[in-house]
Amino acid sequence: MIAKAALAVTLLVISTAVCAKEIIRCTAKGQPDVTMTLNAERKFDYVLSCISGRFIADMTPCAPNGGFGLSSPTGTASLARVVERWQDYGDHMGGITGYTSNATQVHFDGGFFSPRTNNTPIHWSEQWSFTANRLTGKAMLIQENKPDVEYICTKAYPRF
């Protein structure tokens, strides 16, 4: 009985740690802030991390670690589904957000995908990527046709 109770407590602690929300705020002089909420929400049976910033348009920029969030092609561009492999979004038309995180780095990238129709080729257009180094606090925003911008990131805590 005691072993079962200990196992239940251990599983609760592990599941709470896995789903613990981490907020990271990144700033650069003369630029709008970028905010990353890691392990912030659950949708489609996945724990998702999200990024927000003025450079993001026409998509919901959330994805699971190592996976991709697929946004609707029109309207509010809400999250339509989540896939774990790039090979699984071949029929998707719309925004795609990728996300990876480990002990030293957090990386998001986003763009738009159009599947092959009739004789038209598949078209992927990466619009932006944001990579933050957890050890130095430095991050880099790379956008299509714009100069790269370096940010400084810190862990943020909600005030309420």
Side-chain angles (χ1 to χ4, degrees):
M1 184 69 168
I2 293 174
K4 284 183 182 180
L7 178 62
V9 169
T10 302
L11 291 175
L12 178 62
V13 168
I14 290 171
S15 67
T16 302
V18 168
C19 294
K21 178 165 65 168
E22 182 178 4
I23 302 170
I24 300 169
R25 180 176 172 236
C26 303
T27 58
K29 188 173 182 164
Q31 300 292 323
D33 290 356
V34 173
T35 303
M36 297 179 284
T37 51
L38 309 182
N39 303 315
E41 58 184 89
R42 181 175 277 281
K43 192 165 186 173
F44 305 115
D45 292 328
Y46 288 92
V47 174
L48 304 177
S49 294
C50 304
I51 186 169
S52 65
R54 196 173 291 162
F55 57 93
I56 301 165
D58 299 328
M59 69 175 65
T60 299
C62 300
N65 194 5
F68 304 91
L70 311 181
S71 295
S72 300
T74 60
T76 61
S78 62
L79 204 59
R81 71 184 163 138
V82 172
V83 297
E84 295 181 21
R85 306 173 326 139
W86 66 266
Q87 296 92 332
D88 294 334
Y89 62 69
D91 63 342
H92 177 71
M93 179 184 286
I96 297 177
T97 303
Y99 165 69
T100 57
S101 178
N102 58 39
T104 60
Q105 176 176 286
V106 176
H107 175 83
F108 284 91
D109 54 54
F112 296 92
F113 186 79
S114 298
R116 182 183 313 273
T117 56
N118 300 329
N119 291 330
T120 64
I122 294 172
H123 180 71
W124 163 249
S125 172
E126 184 171 282
Q127 303 292 307
W128 54 268
S129 70
F130 191 85
T131 304
N133 184 309
R134 287 180 178 269
L135 303 177
T136 65
K138 293 182 180 180
M140 186 66 68
L141 170 62
I142 300 171
Q143 296 180 81
E144 184 178 60
N145 302 319
K146 292 189 178 181
D148 298 351
V149 179
E150 187 172 303
Y151 283 77
I152 298 296
C153 301
T154 56
K155 190 178 264 193
Y157 300 94
R159 293 188 184 253
F160 52 89

